[in-house]
Amino acid sequence: MSKEKKETALVVISEAGLKVARTIQKELPNAIIYYKGEAEGTYFISSYQTFVEEHFGECSALIFVGALGICVRCIAAQVAHKYHDPAVVNVDSTGKFVIPVLSGHVGGGNELARHLAGITGGEAIITTQSDNQDLWALDLLAGQWGWHTTISPQEMNQAIFAFVGGKKTALLLEVRTSGAEHLEASRPPHVDIFYQYEDIPLAKYDLLISVGYSIYSPQNILHLAYYTPLLTLGVGCKRDCPTLGVSDTIEQTLISAGISPLAIGEIATIELKKDEPLIAHLAKHFTCPSPQIYTASQLGEIEVPHPSQKVYETTGVWGVAEASALASSQKGRLLIEKTKGSTKNENDFTFAVALPLSCDRSQGHIEIVGAGPGDPELISVRGKKMLQRADLILYAGSLVPRELTLYGKEGAVIRSSANMNLEEQFSLMKEFYDKGLFVVRLHTGDPCIYGAIAEQMAFFDRYNMSYHITPGISSFQAAAAALRSQFTIPEEVQTIILTRGEGRTPMPEREQLHLLARSQSTMCIYLSAVIVERVQAELLQVYPPNTPVAACYKLTHKEERIYRGELSQLAQLVRENNLTLTTLLVVGKAIDHREGVSRLYADEFKHLFRK
């Protein structure tokens, strides 16, 4: 067979290993099987030793299938440095044992071994200390989260040695990001977390790990700094502004302000300047994605600290650099206000730097969390983590089981909103937010489906507050599980409609139930048990009377009850069983459907499951 460009080489030592190699290749389609013999689908090699000598530096991974001793002898002369060597994994010919031999940690050999063990049904033999102790892999964190670090390999090794040795470690989380949240949630016992550098009693610690944008120079302590590229650089310039020296000026200003240039993650400007060479130059210099471009009307809505009449007359906005930085950071905080720079002429360009609102630990944050349908174990992993971090948990007490609030940390304030009006809820959340604290607003199900978050978000927007939504499992998904039904049927029902009947809340004319029902889709009808007769009458205009229905009360709660029947019996089911507002009505032939065999796993669809 012809030799193709490869990423992973599967080196099979004996015929006995071919079966395992082919099993692996099905899951790793870019892998090429090399074999010292004739076998279909393999690439012939005359010598294992020679093959490794010629291809060691070309492969991202080498997987040997056979005896471990042969693997070791083949690679021994090629081993150079853990930061450059490929991952080498050895799998015995039965697939029972999978051993990362080289670059298990930095090169990804450990992770590859776990993957291969999952393919072969074998056991991954991992010996790396940080992996076995479930500690952070300090030398992999930057790559995992897209961070940067300037620490040397020698200093990194010293940091790893201290960390895995259990030395007292201070972790400074200057920003709020997914990576920082991960470190916070998985903190080992010998690590203490801080949010401000000034609060750290450095003399008590052997290692300082910082995550953020600031440059720190602590004395007499090993320091591992990760810089998160999340700052926004807003730029304005004169037409055809020269690029020479501009990036140096900006970097010097950043460093003088104690900010690492490695923390710049986005360039922003006004549409008028989008084709200026300087903008492309800065994006390339700071290794940013395509610049964020804003119209004059978008930037004109942003209030800037240093408005300029001259800039307004030219561009239609009061300040391009500051407005662009603020727009790109969701109206965050300016770390560097409008700064003028020059090349050959006076004041050829201006720039400003902003920290995104959602990442700023100097202020609070509100996480709107979907609690799921009721069972405390059906909250998402992220939702649970948010509850564990919260300083205030404000939950919909009439709908969300209090058991969910037990995930809260010691000392957290837990309040039910059942007897609070919106103004009282806003006031409480803002009180905690203004203190720089973390607030969780806990809603039932998924907060974006028949929730009441739009007016809350309007309030947060009005006060320029940082917030985010963590989705949850909706009751329609819980209904499908409880009914043991697939709500879509190949070639018959491919649509699920989430809707409600018309009660005190009017429905748009185009969304009347009898109109939606024309598609004969699976319908999940919320908040409609009290008007069930009207719902049934509308549905009967389109659905056959014997269409399967289910009335699902308090799904996944301890009080869960489910009643099945036909559409002609729907109102009777609801009334006779005294079902209330927490009832979801499901209508459609997909309920309990078992006829036919799904074609999803037929040969013509197998390509869908290959990477």
Side-chain angles (χ1 to χ4, degrees), residues 370-375 378-380 443-451 470-482 487 496-499 524-526 552 554-557 560 584 586:
D375 186 338
L378 288 180
I379 193 169
S380 68
H443 284 269
T444 187
D446 183 283
C448 299
I449 300 176
Y450 295 109
T470 295
I473 295 175
S474 175
S475 57
F476 87 88
Q477 296 164 301
F487 280 178
I496 302 170
I497 295 176
L498 311 181
T499 188
C524 300
I525 306 171
Y526 291 74
C552 307
K554 284 202 169 184
L555 285 157
T556 78
H557 290 247
E560 176 184 282
L584 179 70
V586 184

Side-chain angles (χ1 to χ4, degrees), residues 135-136 163 166-172 183 186-194 205 207 209:
L135 296 173
W136 305 324
F163 182 67
K167 297 295 184 181
K168 197 68 176 173
T169 301
L171 173 64
L172 173 61
L183 297 186
S186 57
R187 177 187 68 86
H190 65 287
V191 175
D192 294 329
I193 297 177
F194 298 89
Y205 296 96
L207 172 64
I209 301 173

Side-chain angles (χ1 to χ4, degrees), residues 228-531:
T228 57
L230 49 78
L231 302 185
T232 63
L233 175 65
V235 182
C237 64
K238 288 185 176 180
R239 180 178 297 177
D240 296 324
C241 175
T243 61
L244 184 63
V246 174
S247 56
D248 290 339
T249 298
I250 294 175
E251 285 201 0
Q252 290 168 10
T253 303
L254 287 166
I255 294 171
S256 296
I259 299 171
S260 171
L262 295 174
I264 298 297
E266 194 162 77
I267 309 296
T269 192
I270 193 170
E271 189 174 26
L272 182 66
K273 304 295 181 181
K274 67 178 182 179
D275 295 323
E276 287 290 335
L278 178 61
I279 304 302
H281 166 77
L282 291 175
K284 182 178 180 181
H285 178 83
F286 288 103
T287 62
C288 297
S290 299
Q292 286 291 318
I293 306 300
Y294 296 94
T295 65
S297 60
Q298 289 174 314
L299 298 184
E301 299 174 354
I302 298 176
E303 184 177 345
V304 297
H306 300 94
S308 166
Q309 180 67 39
K310 184 177 180 180
V311 172
Y312 181 78
E313 292 171 357
T314 304
T315 66
V317 301
W318 292 101
V320 172
E322 289 179 329
S324 298
L326 289 170
S328 185
S329 64
Q330 301 88 48
K331 298 182 181 179
R333 176 162 58 97
L334 285 174
L335 301 179
I336 296 179
E337 296 185 347
K338 178 181 177 180
T339 302
K340 297 178 180 179
S342 62
T343 54
K344 296 180 179 179
N345 303 314
E346 183 179 357
N347 300 335
D348 290 326
F349 63 95
T350 59
F351 62 95
V353 177
L355 172 65
L357 181 66
S358 60
C359 302
D360 192 351
R361 285 196 182 274
S362 70
Q363 61 181 7
H365 177 77
I366 296 173
E367 192 74 17
I368 302 171
V369 175
D375 186 338
E377 293 187 350
L378 288 180
I379 193 169
S380 68
V381 173
R382 177 181 171 83
K384 180 181 177 182
K385 288 180 179 178
M386 296 298 101
L387 289 171
Q388 292 170 333
R389 290 180 52 201
D391 299 296
L392 167 67
I393 299 173
L394 182 61
Y395 71 105
S398 59
L399 300 171
V400 175
R402 182 172 170 78
E403 289 89 338
L404 277 162
T405 67
L406 299 180
Y407 290 132
K409 66 184 179 183
E410 184 178 352
V413 175
I414 299 173
R415 292 284 301 276
S416 168
S417 62
N419 297 315
M420 301 170 66
N421 59 36
L422 282 173
E423 287 72 23
E424 291 170 331
Q425 295 173 34
F426 293 152
S427 177
L428 179 62
M429 287 189 285
K430 195 169 188 304
E431 175 188 343
F432 277 74
Y433 182 95
D434 288 345
K435 294 177 182 177
L437 299 176
F438 192 89
V439 177
V440 166
R441 180 67 173 108
L442 190 60
H443 284 269
T444 187
D446 183 283
C448 299
I449 300 176
Y450 295 109
I453 63 172
E455 50 201 342
Q456 295 178 60
M457 293 189 292
F459 175 86
F460 303 151
D461 290 340
R462 188 182 315 134
Y463 288 94
N464 196 34
M465 300 167 77
S466 171
Y467 66 93
H468 179 265
I469 301 171
T470 295
I473 295 175
S474 175
S475 57
F476 87 88
Q477 296 164 301
L483 293 169
R484 297 184 180 181
S485 298
Q486 179 176 307
F487 280 178
T488 56
I489 305 173
E491 301 179 5
E492 293 191 51
V493 178
Q494 291 292 284
T495 301
I496 302 170
I497 295 176
L498 311 181
T499 188
R500 61 178 296 172
E502 184 172 42
R504 287 182 296 177
T505 302
M507 293 289 288
E509 182 61 34
R510 64 184 178 278
E511 294 182 21
Q512 296 295 315
L513 285 179
H514 67 276
L515 298 177
L516 296 178
R518 289 176 177 175
S519 66
Q520 299 285 291
S521 303
T522 302
M523 294 188 72
C524 300
I525 306 171
Y526 291 74
L527 307 169
S528 301
V530 295
I531 55 168

Side-chain angles (χ1 to χ4, degrees), residues 535-571:
V535 169
Q536 178 179 284
E538 283 208 61
L539 296 178
L540 282 171
Q541 294 180 39
V542 183
Y543 285 103
N546 63 348
T547 300
V549 298
C552 307
Y553 174 73
K554 284 202 169 184
L555 285 157
T556 78
H557 290 247
K558 296 175 183 177
E559 306 89 341
E560 176 184 282
R561 286 181 285 151
I562 296 177
Y563 302 92
R564 288 173 165 86
E566 297 181 350
L567 180 55
S568 60
Q569 304 166 323
L570 180 60

Side-chain angles (χ1 to χ4, degrees), residues 175-191:
V175 293
R176 185 185 293 117
T177 65
S178 297
E181 288 177 1
H182 166 74
L183 297 186
E184 192 168 19
S186 57
R187 177 187 68 86
H190 65 287
V191 175

